[in-house]
């Protein structure tokens, strides 16, 4: 990545500025997201594209559809190798090592892997089998993201989880025993009837498992979920604030640095796949309901999304792609900042040009207002939200809407 900033444009010629800086656009890294849409059962808070699995999963048919989906998207590769792969869901660990192996082999043959590729598999403690996870590791999967959510029986029951606290602890042990030295624990706070002590107890147990990464985020009630139609009793705002403040201090004291709104990592253990999202990289979206982003060498940027329902995705008479949107130039500042400002350190200002082809001067009006409100740091070399800006990120982003 170049460290040379684009020259400032003439103040009276914005079109010329865009055209000159477009030559400095750089094709971003490429990742792949693979969606496996089945779970043992649907959790009441979940608004992801996930569906309760029946007695058997259509593994072979789904992998065949995924590979056809991949073939249809090969034009987006543009000669790049994959820097990361993320198997998400749903519960991808419901699929056999053989099925995941077919997908990985095809991705490597068709696209190729970078030498230091990160390959992550999402898994739930209730679906762990020691032998299966050794097999996953032997496939080249080198990172796990384990959906713990809580270690407390009452909270797990309220969340509809199928594992208990002991299984969650054993999951971390089994990950290490299977050869995973890099894994994330997914933990929620602001749970029904949760106190500050409850939340800190969960955090302490999670830290004791010594994960390299923790995703720690507040439960939000989303439309089209059971919690939306039957809202649980959630903690008051004052308790939520205390949980956030004391919990972040606890994580920092144990060496987990916050690098994104809800992501904490040990040194050099940030999730590279997610960093690609947050730095406006490209990613193939494969599988039912998956979303993707692609760029071409001329700097045209597009988002696309796939057929959502598994039965439709598996139907050979239907198209995989459900929709596509080409991003207009006036949409790019908001789209870019919506991602990068989630990062606590932000990004170099020059990355705006490298990822969008546009001149940094196009951000000037919004930037001045954001700085005046104390939402954006006054650093011309970086785009980074202040602590206040992180708390009021939506207000900050509104200043950059087209």
């Amino acid at each position: 990545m170049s460290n040379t900033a684009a020259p400032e444009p003439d103040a009276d010629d914005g079109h010329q500025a865009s055209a000159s800086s477009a030559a400095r656009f750089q094709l971003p890294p490429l990742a792949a997201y693979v969606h496996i849409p089945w779970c043992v059962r649907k959790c009441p808070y979940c608004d992801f594209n996930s569906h309760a699995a029946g007695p058997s999963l259509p593994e072979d048919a789904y992998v065949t559809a995924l590979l056809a989906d991949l073939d249809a998207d090969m034009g987006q590769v543009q000669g790049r190798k994959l820097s990361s792969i993320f198997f998400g869901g749903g519960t991808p660990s419901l699929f056999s090592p053989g099925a995941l192996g077919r997908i990985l082999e095809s991705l490597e043959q068709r696209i190729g892997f970078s030498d230091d590729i990160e390959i992550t598999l999402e898994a739930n403690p209730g679906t762990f089998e020691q032998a299966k996870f050794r097999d996953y590791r032997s496939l080249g999967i080198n990172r796990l993201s384990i959906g713990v959510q809580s270690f407390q029986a009452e909270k797990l029951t309220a969340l509809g989880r199928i594992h208990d606290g002991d299984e969650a602890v054993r999951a971390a042990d089994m990950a290490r025993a299977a050869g995973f030295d890099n894994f994330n624990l997914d933990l929620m706070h602001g749970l029904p009837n949760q106190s500050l002590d409850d939340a800190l107890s969960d955090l302490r147990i999670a830290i004791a498992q010594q994960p390299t990464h923790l995703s720690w985020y507040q439960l939000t009630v989303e439309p089209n979920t059971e919690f939306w139609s039957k809202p649980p009793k959630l903690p008051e705002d004052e308790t939520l604030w205390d949980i956030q403040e004391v919990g972040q201090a606890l994580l920092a004291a144990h060496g987990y640095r916050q690098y994104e709104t809800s992501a904490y990592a040990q040194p050099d253990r940030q999730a590279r796949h997610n960093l690609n999202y947050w730095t406006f990289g490209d990613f193939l979206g494969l599988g039912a309901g998956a979303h993707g982003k692609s760029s071409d060498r001329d700097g045209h940027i597009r988002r696309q999304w796939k057929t959502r329902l598994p039965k439709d995705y598996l139907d050979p008479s239907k198209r995989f792609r459900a929709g596509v949107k080409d991003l207009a130039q006036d949409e790019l500042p908001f789209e870019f900042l919506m991602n990068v400002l989630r990062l606590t350190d932000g990004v170099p200002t020059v990355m705006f040009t490298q990822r969008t082809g546009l001149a940094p001067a196009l951000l000037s009006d919004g930037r001045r207002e954001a700085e005046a409100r104390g939402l954006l740091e006054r650093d011309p070399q970086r785009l980074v939200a202040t602590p206040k800006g992180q708390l009021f990120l939506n207000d900050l982003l509104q200043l950059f809407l087209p």
Side-chain angles (χ1 to χ4, degrees):
M1 183 178 295
S2 171
N3 291 319
T4 305
E8 289 295 322
D10 295 334
D12 60 349
D13 192 358
H15 178 75
Q16 180 180 339
S18 285
S20 64
S21 61
R24 293 172 175 81
F25 170 83
Q26 296 180 8
L27 204 59
L30 179 68
Y33 173 78
V34 182
H35 191 72
I36 310 295
W38 290 282
C39 287
V40 174
R41 72 181 183 197
K42 183 82 170 178
C43 295
Y45 61 86
C46 179
D47 69 334
F48 295 155
N49 184 32
S50 60
H51 307 266
S56 62
L57 291 174
E59 274 194 353
D60 289 343
Y62 192 75
V63 173
T64 298
L66 269 172
L67 300 186
D69 187 2
L70 170 61
D71 287 339
D73 279 357
M74 284 299 295
Q76 300 174 29
V77 174
Q78 302 278 305
R80 293 168 290 181
K81 293 184 177 181
L82 291 173
S83 60
S84 67
I85 301 168
F86 194 101
F87 288 96
T91 306
S93 55
L94 291 177
F95 265 32
S96 68
L100 297 182
R102 277 183 65 195
I103 299 168
L104 286 172
E105 182 180 9
S106 296
L107 286 168
E108 186 168 23
Q109 289 177 346
R110 288 164 167 80
I111 303 176
F113 293 172
S114 63
D115 291 339
D116 62 345
I117 189 169
E118 175 192 271
I119 305 177
T120 302
L121 176 80
E122 282 188 339
N124 289 331
T127 63
F128 266 70
E129 297 175 28
Q130 186 72 53
K132 182 190 283 189
F133 275 76
R134 286 199 183 96
D135 289 340
Y136 289 150
R137 186 67 188 88
S138 71
L139 294 174
I141 295 170
N142 52 22
R143 185 174 181 273
L144 291 179
S145 182
I146 304 169
V148 169
Q149 315 312 349
S150 177
F151 294 92
Q152 298 169 35
E154 177 190 353
K155 304 300 184 287
L156 290 168
T157 298
L159 294 173
R161 305 297 288 175
I162 62 172
H163 66 270
D164 60 31
D166 289 341
E167 286 178 308
V169 170
R170 287 198 298 272
D173 292 336
M174 286 195 288
R176 279 187 288 268
F180 289 96
D181 61 358
N182 189 14
F183 67 93
N184 169 66
L185 294 184
D186 207 67
L187 196 66
M188 298 169 74
H189 61 86
L191 305 180
N193 299 306
Q194 188 178 49
S195 67
L196 173 60
D197 286 343
D198 291 337
L200 294 180
S201 174
D202 270 349
L203 260 186
R204 290 189 181 100
I205 295 172
I207 291 168
Q209 309 318 308
Q210 299 182 315
T212 50
H213 190 284
L214 272 162
S215 297
W216 187 60
Y217 55 95
Q218 184 179 323
L219 169 66
T220 55
V221 177
E222 302 287 356
N224 302 314
T225 65
E226 185 179 330
F227 274 1
W228 183 263
S229 57
K230 300 175 183 177
K233 180 176 174 53
L234 299 180
E236 300 290 338
D237 286 346
E238 184 176 345
T239 300
L240 292 174
W241 178 260
D242 288 343
I243 289 172
Q244 185 80 24
E245 191 173 47
V246 180
Q248 287 180 335
L250 179 65
L251 286 163
H254 285 84
Y256 291 92
R257 182 177 182 273
Q258 183 182 18
Y259 69 98
E260 188 268 341
T261 303
S262 58
Y264 304 77
Q266 293 178 345
D268 301 319
R269 291 296 198 166
Q270 296 91 342
R272 282 189 280 141
H273 185 84
N274 288 341
L275 280 174
N276 186 59
Y277 291 149
W278 297 324
T279 54
F280 212 50
D282 283 355
F283 52 97
L284 303 174
L286 305 172
H291 286 238
K293 171 186 171 284
S294 61
S295 309
D296 65 23
R297 295 186 183 278
D298 294 324
H300 300 121
I301 299 173
R302 165 179 288 187
R303 293 194 182 277
Q304 55 272 321
W305 51 97
K306 302 299 174 60
T307 301
R308 182 176 176 84
L309 293 178
K311 67 179 181 62
D312 293 335
Y313 186 82
L314 290 169
D315 186 343
S317 70
K318 298 187 178 181
R319 297 168 61 89
F320 296 113
R321 185 174 293 173
V324 62
K325 177 178 172 54
D326 292 308
L327 298 180
Q329 282 197 351
D330 65 354
E331 296 176 293
L332 289 176
F334 178 84
E335 288 274 339
F336 176 82
L337 293 171
M338 179 176 62
N339 289 279
V340 303
L341 291 181
R342 291 179 62 94
L343 296 168
T344 55
D345 290 339
V347 296
T349 302
V350 69
M351 186 179 283
F352 176 68
T353 298
Q354 293 167 339
R355 293 288 193 264
T356 68
L358 303 176
L362 295 177
L363 301 175
S364 295
D365 290 345
R367 184 164 194 163
R368 277 192 294 270
E369 180 65 22
E371 289 173 353
R373 295 190 192 180
L375 300 175
L376 204 65
E377 297 286 0
R378 295 179 182 272
D379 181 352
Q381 301 304 315
R382 296 193 69 80
L383 290 161
V384 55
T386 63
K388 179 182 176 182
Q390 285 283 336
L391 287 174
F392 299 100
L393 193 55
N394 287 339
D395 292 338
L396 171 55
L397 293 171
Q398 293 298 310
L399 301 176
F400 298 93
L401 282 171

